[in-house]
Amino acid sequence: MTVEEFKLPDVGEGVAEGELVSWLVAPGDRVEEDQPVAEVETDKALVEVPSSYDGTVEELFVEEGEMVPVGDVIISFRVDETGAGDEEAADDAEPESTADDEAEPEPAADDEAEPSEPDTPSGRTFAPPSARRLARELGVDIAAVEGSGPGGRVGEADVRAHTAGDARDAAGPESDAAPAPTPTDVGSDDRKSAVSERGDDGSGGAATTAAGAPDPAGRDTTLATPATRKLARDLDVDIDDVLTDETRDGEAFVTDEDVQAYADAAESAAAAEPAPEPSPVDADAGGTGADAPAPETPETTAADAGDETVPYRGVRRTIGKQMERSKFTAPHVSHHDTAEVDALVEARAELKPTAEERGVKLTYMPFVMKAIVAGLKAHPYLNSELREDDEEIVLRKEYDLGIAVATDAGLMVPVVEDVDEKGIFELAAEVRDLAARARERELKPAEMKGSTFTVTNFGAVGGEYATPIINYPETAILGLGAIEERPVVRDGEVVPAPTLPLSLSIDHRVVDGAVAAEFANTVMEHLEHPLLLLSH
């Protein structure tokens, strides 16, 4: 057996780091090559990281929720030096006995072999990252801690128990009546901690607080979905402490409801807990309120005021950095206009039954995409990229449109390639598929790269005009308002008509205002006369 360390690979085509959202394996689990071992959120996608080895998980080096640079070790495996195929070949082969074979020494008996740890052949200690972190904080050698988990796995309770045992040994035999407090016991007077040290009888049950808080389960391994683990982190709950009656594959399985119930019970218990009695020092001080030292008052924080804090990382941070780069690199100018789309509304209504027969839900987006291609062909500087280092503008010959999709995790921009070569129905089906997979976080990183122009549809939530930020390094982006009946002037009279508001942002280093207006006019012409789309 050998121990192989596995580093976080580049799962996002050049991304420098990612957030380890959840582990899909635990120490002691058997894994095969290409089996997913972790979920990592990087760039604009949630991806599964596959194992590069056949073997057994030995150690996890990263906590869930931590940001990990690409190339850092995240997990290690115990790997057979001889492949399984070689072992099977050896079993199948039955060579004739030779003198050399008979001279081979017999294996030593078990009682004559050197003592070893059967569950950890490498001599390393099984412990989750949280237990290792606690050991470092308490100055404990993790290898010296006796584990109570499966295969001798060391948990946080084992580390605390080991610390308390060392403190009793250092104090001598006359100090048996007063064991050293754990970090959670300090300053609690007679109140019990929600996490107690292991009892003398070897039991690991956690104590209940005096105020009636729920007993923590104190598991070493818990199964839960990434969403449930995120909820636990948001509520500052250790998911291994959450009580549950549900199991999967012999392990406890915690749901959102379990986490919320545990957090609510803990909060209620904390609110009902009486204030501690004054210490003897306070009682004997004898001074007036003015003479006595004022108690330390912690500064009011956002949490004290009832505010909620949300980690700025993962997809949200990626979006923020991209928007910042775009806004502070490209001088933005926005152009607004409105298309009168009576004929477009009629064309869509006429084509909808045919689309439904083919299993396609037809929206206005495919029509807009084809109109944009017509505008880009007529005004190629809006389908370009400014390469500052080379001092050149690249006029792109591909028409790959990014379609902004709002998701629970933030804005995703899947890319529809070769829009100029696809029909209305084909585009409708592809956009719907990409949008659905974006909302389910199932897009591959490659499906969100390489766009030459981007469309964002804020009209889907009732918007009319906006100033969209360019999807850098592109040079333009078109925002769509809601198609609604608005007052327009025709033949000297104000009448209601369906209109589509357009908001075009351009990089003014590359595109002049007049060119932007001409592009918008071309797009509007094709939307107002849909038959023109047949030529593209």
Side-chain angles (χ1 to χ4, degrees):
M1 290 278 190
T2 60
V3 176
E4 298 287 350
E5 293 182 334
F6 179 72
K7 300 176 181 179
L8 179 65
D10 180 357
V11 293
E13 298 184 9
V15 72
E17 64 180 0
E19 178 187 354
L20 198 148
V21 176
S22 65
W23 284 109
L24 306 179
V25 295
D29 288 353
R30 182 74 184 178
V31 299
E32 298 178 353
E33 186 176 359
D34 294 329
Q35 175 182 335
V37 296
E39 289 182 316
V40 173
E41 186 174 74
T42 178
D43 197 14
K44 291 187 178 181
L46 183 69
V47 297
E48 291 182 338
V49 178
S51 168
S52 295
Y53 303 100
D54 287 331
T56 302
V57 177
E58 176 167 289
E59 187 173 349
L60 308 180
F61 293 97
V62 178
E63 288 272 16
E64 292 179 345
E66 286 189 15
M67 297 299 298
V68 187
V70 169
D72 274 17
V73 176
I74 60 173
I75 188 173
S76 62
F77 302 94
R78 295 199 309 276
V79 181
D80 297 339
E81 293 182 352
T82 304
D86 295 338
E87 293 175 357
E88 292 173 2
D91 292 338
D92 293 339
E94 296 181 5
E96 294 181 2
S97 175
T98 64
D100 290 339
D101 294 333
E102 294 174 356
E104 286 291 320
E106 291 292 328
D110 291 343
D111 57 350
E112 295 177 359
E114 294 183 5
S116 63
E117 298 177 15
D119 293 317
T120 56
S122 64
R124 303 180 75 171
T125 303
F126 284 167
S130 58
R132 293 182 180 276
R133 179 180 297 170
L134 178 62
R136 289 194 299 271
E137 292 173 353
L138 299 179
V140 174
D141 181 3
I142 194 73
V145 179
E146 182 179 353
S148 60
R153 191 167 188 254
V154 175
E156 293 183 49
D158 298 321
V159 175
R160 292 193 178 95
H162 181 86
T163 304
D166 285 349
R168 286 195 296 269
D169 293 341
E174 296 180 359
S175 63
D176 291 343
T182 66
T184 51
D185 293 330
V186 176
S188 61
D189 297 326
D190 293 333
R191 301 190 305 278
K192 293 183 180 180
S193 166
V195 180
S196 65
E197 65 177 352
R198 189 175 300 279
D200 294 336
D201 59 354
S203 63
T208 303
T209 62
D215 288 347
R219 293 181 298 273
D220 287 330
T221 303
T222 301
L223 301 181
T225 65
T228 300
R229 293 183 185 278
K230 182 179 184 303
L231 175 63
R233 290 195 299 271
D234 293 344
L235 296 177
D236 196 20
V237 169
D238 186 343
I239 201 162
D240 290 331
D241 287 343
V242 177
L243 307 176
T244 182
D245 295 328
E246 188 172 347
T247 61
R248 292 189 182 180
D249 298 328
E251 297 284 359
F253 182 81
V254 170
T255 64
D256 289 1
E257 291 75 14
D258 296 328
V259 171
Q260 190 65 58
Y262 184 88
D264 292 344
E267 182 178 357
S268 299
E273 186 173 348
E277 294 294 330
S279 66
V281 175
D282 296 329
D284 296 338
T288 63
D291 298 332
E296 294 184 5
T297 303
E299 295 182 3
T300 302
T301 64
D304 296 332
D307 295 340
E308 179 184 2
T309 60
V310 179
Y312 181 60
R313 60 192 182 203
V315 172
R316 174 51 55 193
R317 187 177 68 168
T318 300
I319 295 172
K321 287 183 177 294
Q322 176 72 355
M323 295 298 100
E324 179 184 13
R325 180 188 181 195
S326 177
K327 193 65 176 178
F328 288 101
T329 301
H332 283 54
V333 171
S334 292
H335 173 88
H336 301 288
D337 217 325
T338 303
E340 299 177 16
V341 290
D342 311 60
L344 176 62
V345 172
E346 293 174 2
R348 173 178 174 260
E350 187 174 345
L351 290 174
K352 278 186 69 175
T354 304
E356 291 174 358
E357 291 175 2
R358 301 183 185 184
V360 175
K361 182 178 180 180
L362 186 60
T363 66
Y364 291 106
M365 181 60 75
F367 297 94
V368 174
M369 294 168 69
K370 298 295 283 188
I372 288 173
V373 169
L376 295 177
K377 286 183 176 181
H379 309 284
Y381 275 84
L382 282 87
N383 197 49
S384 66
E385 175 185 338
L386 173 60
R387 296 180 180 173
E388 299 173 72
D389 293 340
D390 299 328
E391 295 185 339
E392 62 184 17
I393 300 171
V394 180
L395 304 180
R396 305 290 299 274
K397 297 303 180 184
E398 304 85 11
Y399 299 94
D400 302 336
L401 302 191
I403 310 297
V405 179
T407 74
D408 292 341
L411 196 67
M412 304 286 184
V413 188
V415 179
V416 181
E417 299 180 345
D418 303 322
V419 175
D420 56 320
E421 299 177 3
K422 297 174 180 176
I424 294 291
F425 291 170
E426 185 178 0
L427 290 174
E430 187 168 349
V431 168
R432 184 172 180 80
D433 171 66
L434 288 171
R437 290 194 290 117
R439 296 187 182 97
E440 296 298 326
R441 306 294 303 279
E442 294 177 353
L443 288 175
K444 299 176 182 177
E447 293 179 301
M448 294 183 286
K449 295 183 181 296
S451 58
T452 63
F453 186 97
T454 296
V455 188
T456 178
N457 182 18
F458 43 79
V461 291
E464 192 166 357
Y465 293 102
T467 54
I469 296 178
I470 297 167
N471 188 14
Y472 190 83
E474 298 167 18
T475 55
I477 182 173
L478 182 64
L480 309 178
I483 294 181
E484 295 177 351
E485 282 200 341
R486 297 179 177 88
V488 299
V489 178
R490 291 178 178 172
D491 298 328
E493 295 184 1
V494 177
V495 296
T499 61
L500 171 59
L502 302 176
S503 298
L504 174 68
S505 290
I506 57 170
D507 182 344
H508 214 344
R509 298 174 301 175
V510 179
V511 182
D512 293 333
V515 175
E518 291 169 358
F519 168 83
N521 289 338
T522 302
V523 172
M524 290 192 297
E525 181 183 11
H526 284 74
L527 293 176
E528 293 174 352
H529 303 89
L531 288 178
L532 289 175
L533 298 176
L534 297 177
S535 62
H536 297 280

